Amino acid sequence: MKRLLQKELLRLLGWMLFGTLLGYLWNRPALGAATALLILLGQHIWQLQRLIRWLQAPHEAPPEAQRLWGEIFDGIYHYQRRQKADQQQLTQLLKRIQDSSQALRDGVVMIDHKGDLEWWNEAAEKLLGLSAASDRGQPITYLLRQPQFVDYYESQNYLEPLMLPSHIHEERLLEYQITLFGQNERLLLIRDCTKMRRLERMRQDFIANVSHELRTPLTVLSGYLETFSDYADELPAQWQRGLALMTQQSARMEHLVSDLLTLSRLETSDFKAEAEPINVAELLNAIRLDALALSGHKHQLLLDVDSQLYVRGSATELRSAFSNLVFNAVKYTPHGSIIELRWHHNQDGAYLEVKDNGPGIDSKHLAFLTQRFYRVDSSRSSETGGTGLGLAIVKHVLLRHQGRLQISSSAEQGSCFTCHFPLSQTLLAHAL
């Protein structure tokens, strides 16, 4: 291209020189040069007209031309071909993406930066009852008017999905998950969780029913074992040992059934926070006394509480959760260990910390501690009489109070269990 420009410049100079020489014949050299330049300009204008006509009909072959204009026509033609090939590839890729999205069982909805419906797949059309003829370009909150969804959509906090009954079929449960992308655009994923929720409900009902049915025979067994224990001195030594083991395991089974029923109730019942606030300082002081009795005063339990800080919720459930954490600290730390209970708040909410200087827990176990029946050391849990449900109960109680459980620990470094409550669940004594 550089050489062509140089040649075109030389051509221009040549035309000017030729026109000047012709002008000398009539003693008008300037007029001759100007005439030559006008002729050359006319050629370029003609080529520009050809270019404009060709660009208006891009499917035709490029005009034939030489030198600089030939390179321009050929360059534009090759550029058009590359653009057309790229456009075809993008079109094919977009079609594949749309086809694969249409094949999904989950609904996919694209929402533009204004909050209007832009595109959706067939699954979303069935799950949400959308119509391409009337709903395209409509605001998503105009079609999904449930207050919970509107709050979820406008909050822009999409870390957790939202589960709601379908606005079309109330017996169907839908999970909504929104992802932000581009210039404040959103991708909405809809999943039908009806079957999964039904199976989960069946599992919960099964555990609750079995646990409830076990209470009666366990009560009978415990009653007779207690009666036999009154005459244990009259039994042979080997029978005394068997009676003691049966009494121990019967008590453990009763604790297990009780925890299962508690967990089942937490999972299946609707939570309604009680209006009266809870004095956490008094609650922790009572739990501390119970923990000292459990320990036989062989542990040090230190309290550092903000007596002016209250929390809204269920006193029974919170007592169950807090006592589980404190009693675990007593059971799984050696005698002489120090257990600290700290209740405080900051701009992010209120915190209860249960910290000990015991043997700690390996980090590989931390993610699984709140799972049902998960035990770091099964033999140690058997010795302490644990059911493996305590932390699962703590987790569900906190979820019902809009809180969460954080666990930090490492082997030989002690453990810290932190219950975090949002500011909306707390209040100070002077506000009562």
Side-chain angles (χ1 to χ4, degrees), residues 26 126 142 169 236 259-260 274 279 282 364 380 412:
W26 295 281
K126 295 177 181 178
Y142 177 78
H169 306 288
D259 284 352
L260 281 171
E274 300 176 7
N279 189 332
E282 290 183 0
K364 67 181 181 181
R380 185 178 68 173
E412 309 304 329

Side-chain angles (χ1 to χ4, degrees), residues 90-300:
L90 288 174
T91 302
Q92 293 174 357
L93 179 60
L94 181 60
K95 187 176 184 303
R96 289 182 61 190
I97 293 175
Q98 289 180 341
D99 290 344
S100 60
S101 298
Q102 294 289 2
L104 290 174
R105 296 182 180 178
D106 297 339
V108 180
V109 179
M110 292 182 65
I111 305 171
D112 65 19
H113 66 283
K114 296 183 294 184
D116 298 337
L117 294 169
E118 190 172 13
W119 179 87
W120 57 83
N121 64 353
E122 292 182 4
E125 189 168 313
K126 295 177 181 178
L127 291 172
L128 302 181
L130 299 175
S131 171
S134 58
D135 294 332
R136 194 177 304 278
Q138 296 290 334
I140 181 66
T141 52
Y142 177 78
L143 299 170
L144 296 176
R145 302 182 182 182
Q146 295 152 297
Q148 301 94 323
F149 179 83
V150 175
D151 293 340
Y152 176 68
Y153 178 83
E154 294 179 348
S155 69
Q156 295 195 2
N157 181 12
Y158 306 135
L159 295 178
E160 297 293 334
L162 174 69
M163 281 196 178
L164 288 175
S166 170
H167 64 289
I168 301 176
H169 306 288
E170 291 187 358
E171 68 278 3
R172 178 179 291 177
L173 184 68
L174 300 181
E175 178 187 88
Y176 300 94
Q177 177 73 67
I178 298 178
T179 301
L180 280 170
F181 72 98
Q183 301 296 325
N184 202 33
E185 297 168 293
R186 292 172 175 85
L187 186 69
L188 172 62
L189 302 179
I190 308 102
R191 177 175 297 174
D192 188 346
C193 296
T194 308
K195 184 177 181 180
M196 182 177 67
R197 177 54 65 90
R198 187 180 298 117
L199 292 174
E200 179 68 15
R201 181 69 68 175
M202 290 174 60
R203 181 192 65 80
Q204 293 171 353
D205 292 343
F206 173 77
I207 293 176
N209 292 334
V210 170
S211 301
H212 183 76
E213 292 299 325
L214 284 174
R215 296 191 74 173
T216 300
L218 279 175
T219 301
V220 173
L221 287 174
S222 298
Y224 277 106
L225 288 173
E226 186 177 353
T227 302
F228 293 157
S229 297
D230 294 338
Y231 302 93
D233 295 339
E234 303 176 11
L235 298 175
Q238 63 270 25
W239 286 28
Q240 293 181 12
R241 181 175 179 275
L243 182 61
L245 288 175
M246 285 189 292
T247 302
Q248 178 185 356
Q249 294 303 318
S250 175
R252 187 180 175 196
M253 282 292 294
E254 286 184 331
H255 292 155
L256 177 61
V257 169
S258 177
D259 284 352
L260 281 171
L261 289 173
T262 299
L263 189 58
S264 177
R265 179 180 58 80
L266 292 173
E267 290 180 332
T268 57
S269 64
D270 294 329
F271 176 70
K272 296 181 180 179
E274 300 176 7
E276 59 274 11
I278 300 167
N279 189 332
V280 178
E282 290 183 0
L283 181 62
L284 291 177
N285 190 57
I287 292 175
R288 175 180 176 273
L289 295 177
D290 293 341
L292 285 173
L294 176 66
S295 166
H297 293 268
K298 295 177 181 178
H299 290 74
Q300 296 184 53

